[in-house]
């Protein structure tokens, strides 16, 4: 897996310092600065502590099965802002390289909020997942031939769990899904559009963005 994060700190220096401080027990394989510079922090064949308590598609120890990329951005607590073009271009190159090297499927390129919905919001609704999706570096947001399956709430949550999310905390799981696949409205409400998007994602070939 590849897990994308934002640093969520006031500046890059503070984030890198924390990632290097054993007292915090956090680490990541890469940090991508706003100017596009990529810093390797941990070798890819070593475990990094970037995901914390997390879950994705049956994997409950995400740190043992993933490469973590920290993208410098102050995050929701310190003035969340759009990611600069140079930074996104660097992320795309890095993700593409890692994906090819480790034969990672695009369904396993996720955000921290996808694997830890109850705790995390990063990389957040401003991250341009559609850019990655057009390059087959992430799943696209389905946009074609959408059909509302009219699932009950329980049916939607079962489908969401089947897709990969931990759904123990209902609202958090729904909002994480929306943040990733319907970022213009993150309200935790299951509506027809959410149901239709999720149904399309469960089909063999999700269509959209491309």
């Amino acid at each position: 897996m590849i897990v994308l994060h934002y640093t969520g700190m006031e500046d890059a220096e503070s984030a890198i310092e924390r990632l290097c401080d054993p007292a915090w027990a956090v680490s990541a394989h890469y940090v991508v600065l706003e100017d596009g510079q990529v810093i390797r922090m941990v070798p890819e064949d070593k475990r990094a502590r970037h995901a914390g308590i997390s879950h994705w598609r049956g994997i409950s120890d995400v740190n043992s099965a993933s490469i973590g990329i920290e993208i410098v951005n102050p995050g929701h607590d310190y003035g969340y802002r759009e990611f600069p073009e140079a930074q996104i271009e660097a992320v795309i190159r890095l993700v593409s390289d890692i994906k090819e090297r480790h034969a990672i499927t695009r369904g396993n390129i996720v955000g921290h909020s996808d694997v830890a919905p109850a705790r995390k919001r990063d990389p957040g609704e401003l991250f341009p997942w559609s850019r990655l999706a057009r390059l087959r570096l992430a799943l696209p947001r389905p946009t074609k031939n959408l059909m509302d399956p009219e699932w009950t709430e329980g049916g939607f949550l079962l489908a969401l769990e089947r897709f990969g999310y931990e759904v123990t905390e209902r609202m958090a799981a729904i909002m994480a899904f929306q943040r990733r696949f319907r970022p213009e409205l993150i309200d935790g409400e299951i509506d027809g559009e959410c149901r239709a998007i999720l149904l399309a994602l469960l089909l063999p070939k999700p269509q959209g963005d491309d």
Side-chain angles (χ1 to χ4, degrees):
M1 296 170 57
I2 297 173
V3 181
L4 302 182
H5 309 252
Y6 62 43
T7 51
M9 298 188 70
E10 292 177 319
D11 53 54
E13 292 76 15
S14 300
I16 292 170
E17 183 178 352
R18 179 166 294 186
L19 290 167
C20 293
D21 186 346
W24 283 94
V26 293
S27 56
H29 295 90
Y30 296 95
V31 174
V32 182
L33 305 185
E34 290 184 300
D35 65 2
Q37 181 182 355
V38 176
I39 302 173
R40 189 175 78 168
M41 306 290 288
V42 176
E44 290 180 11
D45 63 346
K46 303 298 182 183
R47 178 191 180 100
R49 296 179 176 181
H50 60 94
I53 299 172
S54 49
H55 175 94
W56 185 251
R57 295 186 170 179
I59 298 173
S60 57
D61 183 8
V62 171
N63 283 335
S64 70
S66 64
I67 293 171
I69 300 173
E70 290 278 357
I71 306 166
V72 172
N73 186 292
H76 292 85
D77 293 334
Y78 295 102
Y80 188 44
R81 57 180 180 244
E82 293 197 7
F83 299 82
E85 180 64 22
Q87 188 178 45
I88 293 302
E89 289 179 356
V91 169
I92 286 172
R93 289 192 298 270
L94 180 59
V95 169
S96 178
D97 186 45
I98 296 169
K99 178 181 185 291
E100 182 176 351
R101 187 162 55 250
H102 295 284
I104 298 171
T105 65
R106 57 181 179 160
N108 283 331
I109 298 174
V110 295
H112 200 186
S113 59
D114 295 317
V115 301
R119 300 186 299 109
K120 297 296 180 178
R121 293 179 285 176
D122 57 312
E125 59 276 7
L126 296 179
F127 185 77
W129 285 106
S130 61
R131 292 272 301 275
L132 276 68
R134 284 194 290 270
L135 297 169
R136 299 188 66 80
L137 299 177
L139 285 174
R141 171 182 178 165
T143 58
K144 301 174 183 177
N145 303 317
L146 295 181
M147 179 183 69
D148 181 1
E150 300 185 1
W151 290 319
T152 63
E153 177 181 311
F156 180 86
L157 293 174
L158 282 173
L160 196 59
E161 185 175 41
R162 179 183 175 190
F163 181 64
Y165 285 87
E166 169 61 59
V167 299
T168 302
E169 296 199 29
R170 167 195 171 280
M171 180 73 74
I174 296 167
M175 292 179 72
F177 175 77
Q178 292 172 335
R179 182 168 282 112
R180 172 70 184 274
F181 293 105
R182 210 270 303 274
E184 68 274 12
L185 180 59
I186 306 168
D187 60 2
E189 297 294 326
I190 301 169
D191 58 23
E193 185 177 38
C194 288
R195 291 190 296 264
I197 290 171
L198 180 54
L199 174 62
L201 285 166
L202 289 168
L203 296 176
K205 294 183 179 180
Q207 297 184 45
D209 282 335
D210 53 357

